[in-house]
Amino acid sequence: MGTLTPYDFMVRWRASRLSERASAQSHFLDLCEMLDEPKPHELDPEGTWYTFEKGAARTGHATSGWADVWKRHHFAWEYKGKHQSLDAAFAQLQRYAIALENPPLLIVSDMETIRIHTNFTNSVQQIHSVTLEDLKEPKKVQLLKRVFAEPESLRPGETRQGITEKAAATFGALAQALRKRTDDAGELYDPQRVAHFINKLVFCMFAEDIGLLPERLFSKMVYQ
């Protein structure tokens, strides 16, 4: 986790009496720090895919509005002041969802509670709630970490076994495809060479997952 501990975060935001406008971005940046996740301006200085105040057309309305935070293919996030209606915030996000490329997670918060609505296509919606008091539980902190780093892991109905089976099938198909390719000499790739390469990929994913590789280095290399 980051330099701001879950306990420090809990104490700071339990005491806050700031309005939504005065506190929303500070709350989100503190959350990034607590989870040791890059902040929007660090990952996307131009604000094209991860940014505060993302403009969006509202479905069924002639006017536009703003999502408080948006990260493409991850989430749209709407804040309300303490003790204000999270249902209203969620309804607002639903009106923005299409314009925001239909993110898989729609998240609302009043600084004391973070409520995560799954929004995956062809899936039954699930709701996960994390209060300030819940931050005493490591599994709740890890849930928030997944929101930032692995939103797909929150897809309803997905199990570890299912993910493992899909990963094994994907790697198997990749290995088969590589074995059909030829090297510079026109020879088929040696099966042991292919297996060694696949093992390297698996190790890099494992190393990134447990923090041996800094700042999601492997993912950045793959997607560049």
Side-chain angles (χ1 to χ4, degrees):
M1 292 294 123
T3 56
L4 183 69
T5 69
Y7 177 79
D8 292 337
F9 182 94
M10 179 177 64
V11 171
R12 178 178 298 179
W13 288 100
R14 181 190 290 152
S16 174
R17 295 295 181 267
L18 296 173
S19 66
E20 172 194 346
R21 184 172 186 142
S23 60
Q25 293 190 13
S26 294
H27 182 276
F28 189 84
L29 292 174
D30 280 356
L31 192 62
C32 291
E33 184 176 342
M34 182 190 75
L35 297 172
D36 197 22
E37 281 291 321
K39 297 168 184 177
H41 68 276
E42 294 172 341
L43 281 183
D44 180 23
E46 297 182 2
T48 57
W49 59 271
Y50 188 19
T51 186
F52 293 111
E53 297 294 328
K54 175 64 177 178
R58 295 187 294 174
T59 302
H61 292 74
T63 59
S64 298
W66 306 87
D68 288 326
V69 197
W70 173 69
K71 186 176 184 182
R72 178 179 286 143
H73 306 317
H74 286 69
F75 54 73
W77 197 303
E78 187 69 25
Y79 278 98
K80 291 293 181 186
K82 280 192 175 183
H83 311 302
Q84 293 190 25
S85 173
L86 293 182
D87 290 336
F90 178 61
Q92 186 173 335
L93 272 187
Q94 287 180 304
R95 292 194 291 270
Y96 296 157
I98 294 176
L100 296 173
E101 303 179 29
N102 214 28
L105 303 175
L106 300 178
I107 304 172
V108 293
S109 176
D110 66 353
M111 267 64 78
E112 290 189 338
T113 299
I114 298 171
R115 203 168 73 188
I116 304 155
H117 297 254
T118 62
N119 188 47
F120 294 92
T121 303
N122 299 323
S123 295
V124 176
Q125 184 190 90
Q126 290 185 348
I127 300 174
H128 306 274
S129 184
V130 181
T131 67
L132 289 175
E133 290 297 318
D134 288 337
L135 296 178
K136 297 175 182 177
E137 303 177 33
K139 66 179 182 180
K140 290 290 190 175
V141 177
Q142 188 59 34
L143 172 63
L144 292 176
K145 181 75 173 177
R146 289 160 61 195
V147 165
F148 285 80
E150 299 177 285
E152 186 68 24
S153 70
L154 295 177
R155 179 185 290 273
E158 201 74 70
T159 64
R160 289 186 178 180
Q161 180 179 350
I163 293 172
T164 301
E165 290 173 352
K166 288 179 182 179
T170 299
F171 280 116
L174 176 60
Q176 292 295 330
L178 289 173
R179 288 172 186 168
K180 295 177 182 179
R181 299 185 65 176
T182 57
D183 58 20
D184 294 338
E187 300 290 334
L188 290 173
Y189 282 125
D190 180 72
Q192 289 187 344
R193 183 181 177 189
V194 171
H196 185 59
F197 176 72
I198 296 296
N199 285 339
K200 284 184 175 181
L201 292 180
V202 173
F203 176 78
C204 286
M205 293 177 182
F206 168 76
E208 184 176 82
D209 189 57
I210 65 172
L212 288 178
L213 293 178
E215 300 179 353
R216 301 187 65 80
L217 178 63
F218 181 67
S219 295
K220 291 177 182 177
M221 292 177 61
V222 169
Y223 288 108
Q224 280 182 348

